[in-house]
Amino acid sequence: MRAAARLVSILAVLLVAGCAATPPTTERTRLEAQTIEKGSVLAQTQVAPALQNQIFALDPERVSESDVRTILAAGPTPRIVNLHGGIYPVHLVMESFGRFLVGMGYPESKIRHPGDGRLSHSPYENSAQIAGAIAWYYERDGLRPLIIGHSQGGIQAVKVLHELAGDYNESVRVWNPLTETADNRTTILDPLTGRERPVVGLKVGYASAVGAGGAALLLPNQWSMAGRLRTIPDTVEDFTGYSLGVDLIAWDLPGAGGTYRSSGTARVRNVELPASYSHVTVAATGDLAEDPAMREWLNAYVPGQQNGFPANAATVTNALWAADVWYSIKKHWVLEAQRFLRAKNAAAAAARRQ
């Protein structure tokens, strides 16, 4: 009864907080005005030499709060595609995670949907459309999006990876998230190389899923994932699968063997979270970013090391999941920004030689 009452109170708080979404009009205006031509994304993105030097000097595995707020947030930033669970109002939990990211210093415009401002996608959206939107974002930003899914949204995250791998269709149409329509094409102009390439085969840097599995795999929109969920294709470089010590909803139990594995080159981690964590609210982390002591701990967190909680933290609920995901987000934020800047500098050098 106490657990149920706590769950109701958390969802009530999230419902109030979730009513404050504001569409990112500046980001939408930028995207609508953008012209996609060979080399245009690299040329149009201005990054001062001093900031470039600071970004190149960052260690992807040791990123401080100051690094985030004064360096990374001022430079090229990949879009984060959040995928929430399927039972109302669990989407508010992933909105709480979106607020956590903003509180930790991630640019809000790179989390909100540029069309309607929502902080996460529904698992009932067409997975091919989400895959097509990821290609659309990459074509315009030059940085590969990051994918994070919770509950049925975790299933959807892996399904999107399989869409990008061509496991459902030989081709995937580009999806415009501003108009919510498919473009009449299945290729994009790679912003870093300037060459045309198909959507199928596009690789993202990082994806994760928490609480994925269970009866949701019996739903019509997900039953094709029953034999695919735990197999991670080569369309992601780093994937982390999170399970709870005991999760009756996702059918995760000690020794049940529900681990993720790579089908090829993807690097896959499996992380078991405490059994005390709730399947429904594991991503409810917005309040963690409001606590200075917890923010310091979250930014210092490194997987596999002793990371005792700060004694003066207001709350540590769901902190291990938040810390591990935030660590990977920071790492791939640095890697994507450095990758983009290397391509930008190489293109500028090639232009000077002509």
Side-chain angles (χ1 to χ4, degrees):
M1 291 295 293
R2 287 196 298 270
R6 180 173 177 273
L7 174 60
V8 170
S9 65
I10 289 174
L11 292 177
V13 171
L14 294 175
L15 181 60
V16 172
C19 295
T22 302
T25 55
T26 302
E27 179 71 354
R28 177 172 187 135
T29 299
R30 179 187 74 83
L31 292 169
E32 287 177 333
Q34 194 173 23
T35 300
I36 301 300
E37 298 173 346
K38 182 177 180 179
S40 62
V41 174
L42 294 173
Q44 292 168 9
T45 305
Q46 302 301 315
V47 183
L51 180 58
Q52 287 198 39
N53 292 337
Q54 289 178 306
I55 292 174
F56 281 127
L58 290 175
D59 178 353
E61 298 184 354
R62 299 284 181 178
V63 182
S64 69
E65 181 169 9
S66 176
D67 294 335
V68 167
R69 296 184 185 276
T70 64
I71 300 175
L72 285 173
T77 300
R79 188 169 298 277
I80 292 179
V81 176
N82 288 324
L83 299 160
H84 62 250
I87 300 176
Y88 186 87
V90 175
H91 70 285
L92 298 174
V93 173
M94 210 56 175
E95 289 192 8
S96 174
F97 175 63
R99 294 195 304 278
F100 164 80
L101 294 175
V102 175
M104 295 301 292
Y106 211 88
E108 186 171 357
S109 64
K110 294 298 184 179
I111 304 170
R112 289 194 179 276
H113 187 282
D116 59 19
R118 65 184 184 270
L119 284 167
S120 63
H121 289 258
S122 167
Y124 299 113
E125 293 179 39
N126 189 304
S127 55
Q129 292 176 2
I130 297 174
I134 285 172
W136 190 91
Y137 290 134
Y138 173 59
E139 186 178 43
R140 280 155 178 76
D141 293 341
L143 297 96
R144 299 171 300 180
L146 315 178
I147 309 172
I148 301 168
H150 167 228
S151 191
Q152 193 186 156
I155 301 174
Q156 189 78 336
V158 180
K159 190 175 183 181
V160 169
L161 297 179
H162 284 286
E163 291 280 9
L164 291 172
D167 291 340
Y168 289 100
N169 297 286
E170 293 183 355
S171 61
V172 172
R173 295 175 70 181
V174 178
W175 183 261
N176 185 329
L178 299 181
T179 61
E180 296 290 9
T181 58
D183 289 356
N184 188 27
R185 59 190 178 121
T186 59
T187 63
I188 61 170
L189 190 66
D190 191 296
L192 303 191
T193 67
R195 293 190 292 268
E196 187 176 10
R197 58 147 303 139
V199 173
V200 168
L202 181 65
K203 179 182 292 189
V204 299
Y206 169 72
S208 72
V210 60
L217 289 170
L218 304 178
L219 296 172
N221 64 314
Q222 301 294 3
W223 63 39
S224 68
M225 286 297 293
R228 290 189 170 106
L229 174 61
R230 304 298 180 179
T231 303
I232 306 303
D234 293 346
T235 47
V236 62
E237 291 180 356
D238 286 321
F239 177 88
T240 304
Y242 299 94
S243 62
L244 277 60
V246 176
D247 188 344
L248 300 181
I249 297 176
W251 297 349
D252 280 330
L253 296 170
T259 57
Y260 295 89
R261 57 196 175 276
S262 172
S263 64
T265 61
R267 295 184 292 269
V268 175
R269 295 171 60 230
N270 286 278
V271 176
E272 183 175 308
L273 299 170
S276 59
Y277 282 22
S278 163
H279 172 97
V280 177
T281 61
V282 63
T285 50
D287 56 342
L288 295 175
E290 298 174 2
D291 182 348
M294 183 52 69
R295 279 203 314 275
E296 181 179 358
W297 179 85
L298 288 162
N299 279 305
Y301 173 91
V302 176
Q305 294 188 3
Q306 295 295 323
N307 296 281
F309 293 126
N312 57 338
T315 179
V316 298
T317 303
N318 303 325
L320 286 174
W321 177 78
D324 203 80
V325 173
W326 179 235
Y327 172 88
S328 292
I329 288 173
K330 290 189 297 177
K331 174 181 176 178
H332 285 276
W333 190 356
V334 172
L335 293 174
E336 287 297 312
Q338 291 176 344
R339 178 174 179 262
F340 178 87
L341 291 175
R342 281 194 296 269
K344 178 178 174 63
N345 293 339
R352 288 192 297 269
R353 289 194 297 268
Q354 292 179 353

